[in-house]
């Protein structure tokens, strides 16, 4: 019988444990602080930021938002980042992507203090992850690994195929799996014989941004399937990058959309914000 990997329930379990940790930190005079910089009025970004803030507030994390207009200059965004870098009450900083076209995303990411880069996108944190000395990890891959661990799914020795090579999901996901002793293949839009490769996967992580792209004939029977997608199909229904109805009977375990990877991403962000606050206690 296929296991439905319930990200919502797992995230709630993680959040309950985090609440206890936050209470202990507050008893020592430290309230974890998370700052989000939002530039422009992209509706999806606004929803993501609102969800992150709501979850932070529920936990007792001090969550602040710095909102800049779509017309903001690079200098204005960098000034906000610089101010947050210097704010001792802020443990984690994230700049919500994508940014408007006049802003150099890489320059903004590199301007964040690596010790406060709670998204794990700064080149220093990316390098540490690939050297298997991670300090901060991109929230979605962090959450996926926590979900696999919750369900006692061991990746060591397994063939993991990561479909997608973004800096947000694909690349850090591949590094994390490698660090946990999986044999890793990264596949992408230029990969030849793509479905022949996905069908070899014991663990298949799909982050393509294409609605219901992976169907049953592209999945190895008994594979663990992790669907990172948040898409809308032709009927306007929220779906993932995996055709759940056809793939679920073939897989041994699969994440639903919604309720799978999404809640785990926010759980990963909150967990790492608290971890950064703990460092402040020991400084």
């Amino acid at each position: 019988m296929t296991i439905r990997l319930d990200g919502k329930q797992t995230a709630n379990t993680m959040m309950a444990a985090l609440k206890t940790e936050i209470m202990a930190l507050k008893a020592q005079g430290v309230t974890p602080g998370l700052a989000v910089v939002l530039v422009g009025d992209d509706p999806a970004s606004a929803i993501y930021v609102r969800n992150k803030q709501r979850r932070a507030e529920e936990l007792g994390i001090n969550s602040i938002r710095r909102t800049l207009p779509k017309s903001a200059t690079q200098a204005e965004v960098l000034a906000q980042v610089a101010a947050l870098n210097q704010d001792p009450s802020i443990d984690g900083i994230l700049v919500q992507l994508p940014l408007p076209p006049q802003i150099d995303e890489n320059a903004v990411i590199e301007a964040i203090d690596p010790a406060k880069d709670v998204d794990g996108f700064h080149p220093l944190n990316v390098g540490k992850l690939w050297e298997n000395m991670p300090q901060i990890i991109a929230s979605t891959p962090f959450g996926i690994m926590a979900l696999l661990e919750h369900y006692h799914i061991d990746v060591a020795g397994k063939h993991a195929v990561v479909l997608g090579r973004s800096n947000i999901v694909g690349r850090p996901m591949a590094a994390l799996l490698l660090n946990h002793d999986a044999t890793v293949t990264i596949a992408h839009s230029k990969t030849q014989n793509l479905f022949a490769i996905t069908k070899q996967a014991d663990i298949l992580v799909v982050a393509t941004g294409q609605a219901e792209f992976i169907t049953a004939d592209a999945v190895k029977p008994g594979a663990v399937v992790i669907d990172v997608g948040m898409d809308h199909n032709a009927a306007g229904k929220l779906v993932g990058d995996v055709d759940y109805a056809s793939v679920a009977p073939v897989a041994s375990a699969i994440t639903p959309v919604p309720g799978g990877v999404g809640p785990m991403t926010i759980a990963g962000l909150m967990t790492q914000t608290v971890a950064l606050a703990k460092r402040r206690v020991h400084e």
Side-chain angles (χ1 to χ4, degrees):
M1 185 175 173
T2 305
I3 299 168
R4 183 177 179 271
L5 302 174
D6 190 333
K8 188 173 181 181
Q9 181 190 53
T10 306
N12 286 338
T13 300
M14 290 173 67
M15 294 302 99
L18 270 187
K19 271 190 174 181
T20 302
E21 293 183 34
I22 291 166
M23 286 170 60
L25 280 169
K26 289 185 174 182
Q28 298 175 73
V30 171
T31 297
L34 174 65
V36 182
V37 179
L38 179 62
V39 185
D41 51 8
D42 178 73
S45 290
I47 290 168
Y48 288 144
V49 168
R50 191 161 61 244
N51 288 343
K52 289 168 184 173
Q53 282 199 286
R54 186 170 66 239
R55 191 55 123 162
E57 288 161 5
E58 288 170 0
L59 288 170
I61 292 172
N62 175 34
S63 176
I64 68 169
R65 178 166 70 178
R66 297 287 180 260
T67 305
L68 294 168
K70 189 177 180 181
S71 59
T73 65
Q74 178 139 332
E76 288 171 330
V77 177
L78 291 174
Q80 285 288 350
V81 170
L84 294 167
N85 282 341
Q86 297 301 316
D87 187 338
S89 71
I90 297 301
D91 299 293
I93 302 167
L94 70 85
V95 177
Q96 184 65 43
L97 304 178
L99 292 169
Q102 76 274 15
I103 310 293
D104 181 343
E105 285 188 0
N106 289 333
V108 172
I109 290 167
E110 289 181 25
I112 299 170
D113 180 348
K116 294 189 176 189
D117 165 43
V118 74
D119 257 339
F121 296 158
H122 191 283
L124 183 65
N125 289 322
V126 172
K128 285 184 175 182
L129 174 61
W130 277 101
E131 289 203 341
N132 200 12
M133 299 187 299
Q135 288 189 325
I136 309 171
I137 300 164
S139 297
T140 297
F142 182 98
I144 290 169
M145 293 305 295
L147 185 63
L148 292 172
E149 184 178 337
H150 180 80
Y151 280 92
H152 306 291
I153 296 171
D154 187 7
V155 305
K158 304 288 178 58
H159 183 193
V161 174
V162 179
L163 183 47
R165 52 179 167 174
S166 73
N167 291 332
I168 296 172
V169 180
R171 293 171 194 257
M173 188 75 243
L176 261 184
L177 287 162
L178 186 63
N179 291 350
H180 285 79
D181 298 321
T183 299
V184 182
T185 300
I186 304 175
H188 47 79
S189 59
K190 298 293 190 290
T191 299
Q192 296 182 6
N193 301 317
L194 177 63
F195 295 143
I197 291 172
T198 61
K199 197 153 187 173
Q200 296 173 26
D202 301 310
I203 298 167
L204 179 61
V205 181
V206 188
T208 65
Q210 299 179 67
E212 300 176 321
F213 179 69
I214 292 293
T215 52
D217 56 358
V219 176
K220 177 182 179 179
V224 174
V225 180
I226 306 295
D227 188 351
V228 185
M230 292 283 280
D231 316 298
H232 288 89
N233 63 14
K237 181 187 176 186
L238 178 64
V239 296
D241 294 348
V242 174
D243 176 22
Y244 188 93
S246 73
V247 172
V250 177
S252 63
I254 187 170
T255 56
V257 176
V261 171
M264 294 303 298
T265 296
I266 294 180
L269 174 66
M270 300 303 151
T271 300
Q272 295 192 99
T273 299
V274 173
L276 292 176
K278 285 180 179 176
R279 289 188 200 171
R280 182 153 47 111
V281 171
H282 298 296
E283 285 177 355

